[in-house]
Amino acid sequence: MMNTYRRIVLAERPRGEITSQCFRLETLPVPDLKPGQILVKNHFLSLDPYMRGRMSERKSYANPQALNETMIGGTVGEVIASENPQWQIGDRVAGMFGWSELGFSDGQGLRRISKDIPMSAYLGVLGMPGMTAWYGVHQILKPVAGKTVVISSASGAVGGTAGQLARKLGCRVVGIAGGPEKCAYVEQTLGFDVCIDYKQADWKNALANATPDGIDAVFENVGGEIFDASLARMNPFGRIALCGMISGYNGEDIPIRNSRALLTMRLMVQGFIVTEHPECWPQGLSALEVLVRNQELAFRESLSEGLESAPDALIGLLKGRNFGKQLVRF
């Protein structure tokens, strides 16, 4: 049994882009368990763009990350001590223990995860990113066969899953990603019809050529110029699932020049936070797990080693350096 464990806290709020100085690594003693509690050794930590928003004091859908407290984050791990009869040593669990090597809980809010699927998948395709994709596609976009769906950040954990789900519905799926390697992965492994490299000078023309019949639905993760280009191509009564605005997470302006299309094309735009829809999680996760077990849903992970690597990994994520789901392993 460990006598001490490490965690990372938010030491100061960022001004613009985050830096390593925003975080502090601490070592704490392991407390004794009280009746009803369990102790979890975390093996993987999820890093996600929403963390940048939580580090700010700006008004948002959730309270800001508290200073000098463990940074928020999803985790998966294994029960290593238990004073709760509902949880046994060796049980695998997904929870929100944050940037910490250990998690302490009374068992509330935890989810048992299967041992026949890689543990890390429950932070990606079988976790919040996968559910975000499933909800956005099935509950908001509701695309039908033959329609054109555009997915931004298509090589990421959310976008990659959303595009595959739309393809299974018979849609023409156009991805947008950064760089030839990511675009090749989106087309060849994820099965999108085409992927546009936004780092190329003529990417807007490429998007127009890839959507000759216009765009019927957009799954938006980025915002800014990329979202604006899709707006200009929308068909009447198109639908937009808005789940991320990573282009403005450091406080940048997010101009929308083609806002007229919202009216002229009579578009439905729905922003959503998937954790606000717990009633859909059992159905969505069950469907996703079947696809993963049947090897019908591809996914990719970027691994950063050691808790101390989390700050730099998050900085890299916000700059688009990751390839697939960004995780920290420890």
Side-chain angles (χ1 to χ4, degrees):
M1 183 65 66
M2 303 164 60
N3 295 318
T4 62
Y5 71 101
R6 299 183 303 163
R7 69 171 184 171
I8 292 179
V9 303
L10 181 64
E12 62 181 59
R13 301 200 185 280
R15 299 175 179 85
E17 293 186 2
I18 63 174
T19 67
S20 58
Q21 284 70 39
C22 295
F23 307 96
R24 183 174 66 251
L25 180 64
E26 298 181 343
T27 299
L28 300 175
V30 178
D32 294 331
L33 290 184
K34 299 177 182 179
Q37 289 187 325
I38 63 172
L39 177 62
V40 176
K41 173 65 174 70
N42 296 322
H43 292 298
F44 292 93
L45 164 69
S46 172
L47 296 181
D48 300 280
Y50 77 83
M51 292 174 175
R52 175 59 185 87
R54 297 290 286 273
M55 294 170 68
S56 168
E57 289 187 300
R58 291 195 304 267
K59 182 179 179 181
S60 186
Y61 63 89
N63 293 328
Q65 164 71 40
L67 290 173
N68 303 310
E69 297 292 340
T70 305
M71 270 292 296
I72 189 173
T75 56
V76 289
E78 185 175 347
V79 176
I80 59 173
S82 177
E83 294 294 334
N84 186 323
Q86 297 182 9
W87 296 89
Q88 306 300 316
I89 293 175
D91 285 347
R92 290 185 170 189
V93 299
M96 291 290 292
F97 291 125
W99 296 25
S100 175
E101 292 175 329
L102 296 181
F104 308 88
S105 174
D106 62 1
Q108 297 297 313
L110 299 183
R111 177 164 61 108
R112 280 188 175 84
I113 58 177
S114 298
K115 295 185 177 182
D116 63 336
I117 291 176
M119 184 183 294
S120 58
Y122 286 90
L123 292 177
V125 66
L126 297 179
M128 183 269 290
M131 269 306 302
T132 300
W134 184 91
Y135 187 90
V137 170
H138 289 282
Q139 302 297 311
I140 297 177
L141 297 184
K142 302 178 180 179
V144 298
K147 298 297 184 180
T148 298
V149 180
V150 169
I151 313 281
S152 64
S153 192
S155 67
V158 175
T161 303
Q164 291 179 85
L165 294 177
R167 282 287 293 141
K168 289 184 177 301
L169 295 173
C171 299
R172 173 175 171 79
V173 180
V174 177
I176 303 176
E181 184 181 9
K182 289 183 177 180
C183 284
Y185 166 75
V186 169
E187 293 179 357
Q188 298 169 16
T189 301
L190 301 185
F192 286 41
D193 292 278
V194 65
C195 186
I196 308 303
D197 182 358
Y198 71 81
K199 293 185 177 181
Q200 297 296 316
D202 63 344
W203 70 269
K204 292 183 181 179
N205 288 331
L207 178 62
N209 292 334
T211 57
D213 298 323
I215 298 172
D216 300 294
V218 171
F219 196 109
E220 187 55 51
N221 294 292
V222 178
E225 190 175 20
I226 290 176
F227 180 38
D228 208 38
S230 294
L231 276 179
R233 303 285 304 159
M234 293 297 294
N235 288 329
F237 305 105
R239 302 172 73 88
I240 298 168
L242 187 59
C243 85
M245 285 288 203
I246 196 171
S247 64
Y249 278 3
N250 290 316
E252 304 93 335
D253 290 335
I254 312 176
I256 300 180
R257 297 180 178 85
N258 293 307
S259 59
R260 183 178 301 174
L262 299 172
L263 172 62
T264 59
M265 294 296 106
R266 290 85 81 203
L267 304 180
M268 190 284 289
V269 183
Q270 178 65 61
F272 72 103
I273 307 298
V274 75
T275 52
E276 296 178 345
H277 304 280
E279 73 284 355
C280 293
W281 281 61
Q283 179 187 359
L285 289 175
S286 177
L288 291 168
E289 194 165 84
V290 169
L291 293 174
V292 169
R293 278 202 168 92
N294 292 339
Q295 298 184 341
E296 297 180 43
L297 207 54
F299 60 94
R300 179 169 176 151
E301 299 170 340
S302 289
L303 290 177
S304 180
E305 298 291 343
L307 177 62
E308 65 279 0
S309 72
D312 285 342
L314 179 60
I315 292 169
L317 168 67
L318 295 172
K319 293 180 178 294
R321 295 174 187 158
N322 65 302
F323 197 156
K325 175 63 190 164
Q326 181 64 60
L327 300 169
V328 178
R329 178 168 56 189
F330 45 85

